């Protein structure tokens, strides 16, 4: 990840030449104060940029996304997502991408005009999971899913460490969407283990220790501390052990409106299941979802 960098001149996130290779990279919220290219300035050479997400970068001049210096740089851009980069340039496409020579294929570019040619490029809302671009993973209905080309992929894992090419084709951007491999989500309450100071925890799964006040009988009863345990079942034929599925726990206020979600990772085991645990059960209702997937993979529960 290349995030929150500031450059006094060109290339807020990267400035260079030669033949660098970028794959499964995230360039986000980088800034060029007095130059061009908030994310990436390619001075010369033949850069290869594959399955990168370049979002939310800024500059005070032009081209907040990717810019080449002149026709001495010939980049090859494939399966990339270039969106929401801001510069005070009159040409909205140049705010995202400016190049004299090079190729771009199977990529999403905001305000895409077709001037750079290529195959499979388009302009469509990528439908990120997180509002305000806080989470740049793809929602289940993103047009970026299965829209890339497998021919450009050289790395077997995405930025989360999960396998590439899970669906019909590789997804566009740094993250592969896992929703097509999720089979089920179940949620249960788990009695907290007694905190004896030994660092143990009941409930298991991702998200931290499940410890607190309890009588140790294994039942989650009123007056005891309980945790929420979410079990995700996946298709083991396509998503191998060691993969991680993100689960969100969203408390609801007294009016039923969502509060700030809390995210935990469920690590998939040999049996095709992974568990994510919220160590404390907030009073009231909580919506538990497999992140980015359809509502069929959400469960509403009420903490005792």
């Amino acid at each position: 990840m290349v995030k929150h960098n500031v450059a006094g001149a060109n290339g807020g996130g990267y400035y260079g030449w030669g033949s660098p290779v970028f794959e499964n990279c995230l360039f986000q919220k980088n800034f060029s104060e007095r130059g061009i290219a908030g994310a990436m300035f390619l001075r010369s050479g033949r850069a290869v940029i594959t399955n990168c997400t370049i979002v939310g970068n800024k500059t005070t001049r032009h081209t907040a996304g990717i810019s080449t210096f002149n026709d001495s740089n010939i980049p090859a851009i494939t399966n990339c997502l270039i969106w929401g980069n801001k510069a005070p340039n009159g040409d909205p496409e140049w705010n995202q991408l400016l190049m004299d020579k090079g190729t771009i294929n199977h990529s999403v570019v905001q305000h895409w005009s077709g001037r750079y040619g290529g195959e499979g490029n388009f302009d469509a809302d990528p439908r990120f999971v997180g509002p305000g671009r806080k989470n740049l993973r793809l929602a289940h209905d993103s047009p970026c899913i299965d829209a890339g080309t497998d021919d450009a992929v050289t790395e077997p894992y995405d930025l989360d460490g999960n396998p590439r090419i899970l669906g019909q084709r590789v997804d566009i951007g740094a993250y592969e969407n896992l929703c097509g491999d999720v089979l089920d989500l179940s949620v249960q309450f788990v009695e907290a283990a007694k905190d004896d100071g030994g660092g143990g925890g009941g409930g298991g799964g991702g998200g931290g220790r499940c410890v607190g006040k309890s009588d140790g009988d294994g039942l989650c009863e009123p007056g005891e501390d309980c945790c929420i345990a979410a079990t995700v079942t996946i298709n083991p034929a396509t998503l191998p052990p060691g993969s991680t599925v993100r689960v969100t726990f969203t408390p609801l206020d007294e009016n039923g409106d969502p509060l700030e979600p809390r995210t935990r990772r469920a690590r998939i085991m040999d049996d095709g299941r992974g568990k994510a645990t919220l160590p404390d059960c907030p009073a009231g209702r909580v919506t538990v979802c497999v992140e980015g997937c359809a509502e069929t993979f959400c469960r509403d529960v009420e903490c005792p």
Side-chain angles (χ1 to χ4, degrees), residues 109-176:
V109 180
Q110 191 173 21
H111 304 295
W112 173 256
S113 68
R115 76 176 73 187
Y116 299 120
E119 297 181 355
N121 302 308
F122 59 95
D123 171 15
D125 183 349
R127 297 193 60 79
F128 297 122
V129 166
R133 305 189 185 98
K134 291 183 180 180
N135 186 340
L136 300 179
R137 294 168 183 84
L138 305 175
H140 67 97
D141 55 354
S142 169
C144 301
I145 295 174
D146 293 343
T149 173
D150 299 348
D151 294 340
V153 177
T154 63
E155 293 293 330
Y157 303 105
D158 71 356
L159 189 55
D160 271 339
N162 288 321
R164 276 292 185 188
I165 318 177
L166 290 175
Q168 298 176 0
R169 291 190 300 174
V170 67
D171 297 346
I172 290 175
Y175 300 101
E176 196 81 0

Side-chain angles (χ1 to χ4, degrees), residues 54-57 81-85 96 108-111 122-126 128 133:
I54 300 165
V55 171
N57 301 280
L81 203 171
I82 309 173
W83 196 268
N85 302 289
Q96 312 305 318
V108 171
V109 180
Q110 191 173 21
H111 304 295
F122 59 95
D123 171 15
D125 183 349
F128 297 122
R133 305 189 185 98

Side-chain angles (χ1 to χ4, degrees), residues 14-48:
Y14 172 81
Y15 176 101
W17 49 86
S19 300
V21 176
F22 301 93
E23 188 163 359
N24 299 324
C25 293
L26 172 63
F27 282 77
Q28 184 184 17
K29 295 185 178 180
N30 300 290
F31 179 53
S32 173
E33 288 185 319
R34 295 181 299 277
I36 61 177
M40 187 182 299
F41 184 81
L42 305 172
R43 187 170 180 85
S44 63
R46 294 179 177 270
V48 177

Side-chain angles (χ1 to χ4, degrees), residues 164-290:
R164 276 292 185 188
I165 318 177
L166 290 175
Q168 298 176 0
R169 291 190 300 174
V170 67
D171 297 346
I172 290 175
Y175 300 101
E176 196 81 0
N177 181 275
L178 307 179
C179 294
D181 299 274
V182 176
L183 301 179
D184 187 40
L185 171 68
S186 61
V187 180
Q188 65 181 118
F189 295 108
V190 178
E191 179 191 40
K194 292 181 179 180
D195 190 357
D196 58 5
R209 300 167 62 204
C210 180
V211 296
K213 183 178 67 174
S214 67
D215 59 14
D217 65 357
L219 302 176
C220 185
E221 300 168 322
E224 295 182 329
D225 291 327
C226 299
C227 308
I228 305 177
T231 300
V232 181
T233 304
I234 55 87
N235 182 356
T238 54
L239 200 60
S243 303
T244 56
V245 179
R246 290 164 59 95
V247 178
T248 58
F249 299 82
T250 306
L252 306 179
D253 65 17
E254 57 185 11
N255 297 318
D257 295 323
L259 301 175
E260 187 69 22
R262 298 163 68 179
T263 303
R264 300 291 183 265
R265 293 178 182 267
R267 185 176 180 84
I268 302 303
M269 308 306 288
D270 290 339
D271 63 356
R273 294 179 174 88
K275 182 178 288 186
T277 303
L278 189 67
D280 58 306
C281 191
R285 286 191 298 147
V286 179
T287 298
V288 184
C289 297
V290 180

Side-chain angles (χ1 to χ4, degrees), residues 85-109:
N85 302 289
K86 296 182 179 180
N89 188 318
D91 188 315
E93 186 180 43
W94 282 3
N95 286 346
Q96 312 305 318
L97 173 66
L98 176 63
M99 62 181 184
D100 293 290
K101 289 185 178 180
T103 60
I104 179 168
N105 292 288
H106 299 278
S107 295
V108 171
V109 180

